[in-house]
Amino acid sequence: MKKLFHVCVLMIGLQVQAQVCPVIPMPKEAIYLDAAFAVDKNTPIYVQSPRFKGVAQYIQQEFLRLKGLPLAIKSNLGKMPTIKLEQIKGLPEEAYELAIGNEGIVIKASDEAGAFNGASSLAQLFSLAAPSSSGWAIAAWNIKDQPRYAWRGLMLDESRYFIGKDKLKSLIDWMAFYKLNKLHWHLTDEPAWRIEIKKYPKLSLVGGVGDYNDPKRPAAYYTQSEISEIVDYAARRNIAIIPEIDMPGHATAANMAYPQYSGGGNAQHPEFTFDPGNPDTYAYLSNILREVNALFPSGMLHLGGDEVSFGTDKWQSNEGIKKLQQEHGLQDLKAVEHYFMERMADSVYQLDAKLMAWDEMADINLPKDETIIFWWRHDKPEQLQTTLDKGYQTVLCPRLPYYFDFVQDSGHHAGRKWGGLYNSLQDVYVFSVDKWVRASQQTQILGIQANLWTETVTNTNRLDYLLFPRLAALAEAAWSSESEKDYKVFEERLKPHLRLYRDQNIYFYNPFNPNEIPEPVYFKRDRKDLNAMQN
Ligand code: ACM
């Protein structure tokens, strides 16, 4: 039953030929009409509602990016066959209908996000279009579609490896291509601090020096105007960006810049924590969060809160902390950590922003409607259960299978494993929320997310290699219901996407030939780093 809408069986002579919809993630319904629409540079995009103008511009930019085809947007409907964007009533959030026929293309949606999703499917079908006499023949699929989850996320660690604006925008293009709609931006950690803060300029000037593999690398960070440019670029692709300012642990780079707020660390993790015993620490961090909040209209701030105990050694002998414990009856350092996070969470709520945090923070009692917890410790399913039992909205990003710094094939050596386990393309695809979450708590699951930590990334080829094609599998796992997923069919649909990666200079992992070393791809400043290529 489930393939009825995805596969159209054509009779060609006596042979039966199956047409499987190549769009990833798989649309809910897709019917092939055995026809095509020929698009060329004279095909106008017609926008009925001004609200969809931005989506029309996205179509322009994608057609140019994918095949160098420059289209124009027209505000009156002439006689030419068009790509038409139409706002209609009654479709759910993010849902769309896309109809491609001999006469033209129509995308219908009730909201901008839905129109965008229709445009993204169109961009994919266009990317796979065959050349025709005057332009490109886009296969005539009729699609009705909507996502399972509202949160389809990717986390990117730019503290350990600074990707830079151009590559980041390119990655945002690919996220949009697969309808991933949340970019969780890990901007601060041990190796470096990557966001300009006007009130504390040393955070980026001093804290921005180095990365995981080269502690002396000259300072690299995003200025506030670059942040606004990227946030805007992503918003026009239906992607909200959530900044993460990790605390009270993973604060090393910040503490290099402003040591007066450091709570110390140990030999393995020097200056790892902020100092909860210094009353000024709270105002300092709140001032930082005010600036960060002003830059990110998503209204979501991620405060980390993970792995604090990695570096609390010096808290034992900290006089300020002892005083704090006495004043507030805090029995142990865990209670101090929780006190710190509750106070910082308050700073977030006072900005009318939502608080996001890693799953350690499910142990404290925060306002449920204003807090989202990210379950990452796959080996602690009880922490997921605590999170859900306390009523938090939850994003699932368990290490297995959603840490993309893990290797993806048994023959690969650079990258993490967990007791021999790794994150194959298939595991990313088949992950089932339903296996982890009981039916009565399903509504608390906002969606799923992959996290790319960048200890093993030294150039953008390596970055691509870890992301592609797992990004496509993630997208389908987040978009489609269990009953609509089929790994074997996904593998077939992926093949043309791999050809597209090759055309678009993406350095990808080939699941059909796991030990293939692709030709190096040049992305600007990486030329000199190519020797560092590794699987
Ligand atoms: C994490 O991996 N420390 C969230």
Side-chain angles (χ1 to χ4, degrees), residues 155 160 184 186 189 244 246 250 302 304 306-307 310 358-360 374 376-377 397 399 403 416 451 453:
M155 188 220 78
R160 293 180 175 83
H184 168 175
H186 189 79
D189 209 306
E244 180 182 352
D246 208 343
H250 292 277
H302 200 302
D306 55 323
E307 298 175 326
F310 279 18
W358 298 110
D359 66 39
E360 287 91 332
F374 289 62
W376 65 280
R377 291 178 292 178
C397 50
R399 280 189 210 94
Y403 272 27
R416 289 168 74 189
N451 297 336
W453 304 100

Side-chain angles (χ1 to χ4, degrees), residues 178-470:
Y178 287 125
K179 303 187 185 77
L180 295 167
N181 66 349
K182 300 283 186 282
L183 175 60
H184 168 175
W185 205 2
H186 189 79
L187 287 163
T188 71
D189 209 306
E190 292 178 82
W193 179 284
R194 302 297 188 195
I195 173 171
E196 177 192 25
I197 302 295
K198 301 271 192 210
K199 196 170 171 70
Y200 305 108
K202 285 194 286 182
L203 281 171
S204 47
L205 295 175
V206 176
V209 174
D211 64 17
Y212 184 83
N213 289 289
D214 177 5
K216 293 208 170 65
R217 195 165 190 137
Y221 60 90
Y222 293 101
T223 64
Q224 293 199 349
S225 94
E226 286 172 323
I227 298 259
S228 296
E229 180 187 329
I230 292 163
V231 164
D232 186 52
Y233 188 85
R236 283 186 278 116
R237 285 156 183 76
N238 194 35
I239 295 171
I241 304 190
I242 300 93
E244 180 182 352
I245 306 295
D246 208 343
M247 61 182 74
H250 292 277
T252 315
N255 290 336
M256 292 298 155
Y258 293 96
Q260 60 269 46
Y261 306 112
S262 173
N266 53 37
Q268 231 191 334
H269 298 285
E271 308 304 331
F272 186 73
T273 58
F274 290 118
D275 181 1
N278 175 356
D280 295 338
T281 303
Y282 299 93
Y284 164 65
L285 291 174
S286 297
N287 288 334
I288 292 171
L289 292 181
R290 271 186 181 278
E291 288 195 32
V292 174
N293 176 62
L295 291 167
F296 289 89
S298 64
M300 298 185 261
L301 294 176
H302 200 302
L303 297 194
D306 55 323
E307 298 175 326
V308 183
S309 62
F310 279 18
T312 48
D313 313 41
K314 299 236 168 89
W315 288 17
Q316 295 285 0
S317 54
N318 179 319
E319 288 306 322
I321 291 181
K322 282 186 197 154
K323 195 156 161 262
L324 191 74
Q325 286 186 276
Q326 274 162 9
E327 271 172 21
H328 296 277
L330 307 172
Q331 299 294 320
D332 53 20
L333 294 187
K334 203 36 108 195
V336 172
E337 177 188 327
H338 288 173
Y339 169 86
F340 171 93
M341 281 311 273
E342 279 171 22
R343 260 184 87 168
M344 292 317 304
D346 250 357
S347 295
V348 171
Y349 304 137
Q350 276 172 29
L351 295 167
D352 253 2
K354 276 202 175 174
L355 172 78
M356 325 249 134
W358 298 110
D359 66 39
E360 287 91 332
M361 290 304 115
D363 289 335
I364 47 183
N365 293 321
L366 296 162
K368 289 189 245 321
D369 297 337
E370 295 164 64
T371 309
I372 296 173
I373 298 291
F374 289 62
W375 178 60
W376 65 280
R377 291 178 292 178
H378 72 280
D379 53 332
K380 289 196 187 305
E382 67 278 13
Q383 198 64 7
L384 172 59
Q385 202 50 56
T386 300
T387 304
L388 295 171
D389 291 346
K390 287 192 171 185
Y392 289 117
Q393 294 201 301
T394 307
V395 172
L396 303 181
C397 50
R399 280 189 210 94
L400 293 176
Y402 286 133
Y403 272 27
F404 280 4
D405 51 323
F406 278 52
V407 302
Q408 50 204 319
D409 184 89
S410 58
H412 293 176
H413 303 296
R416 289 168 74 189
K417 286 187 182 165
W418 190 270
L421 299 174
Y422 54 90
N423 292 337
S424 69
L425 182 69
Q426 182 164 6
D427 289 346
V428 171
Y429 185 88
V430 302
F431 177 79
S432 163
V433 175
D434 301 349
K435 285 207 184 110
W436 290 94
V437 181
R438 63 174 78 112
S440 61
Q441 293 180 321
Q442 287 281 345
T443 53
Q444 288 170 247
I445 305 299
L446 290 182
I448 62 179
Q449 172 171 302
N451 297 336
L452 180 58
W453 304 100
T454 49
E455 282 90 341
T456 62
V457 176
T458 53
N459 57 62
T460 52
N461 282 333
R462 170 79 184 151
L463 181 88
D464 285 354
Y465 195 78
L466 294 173
L467 287 172
F468 294 90
R470 287 192 287 197

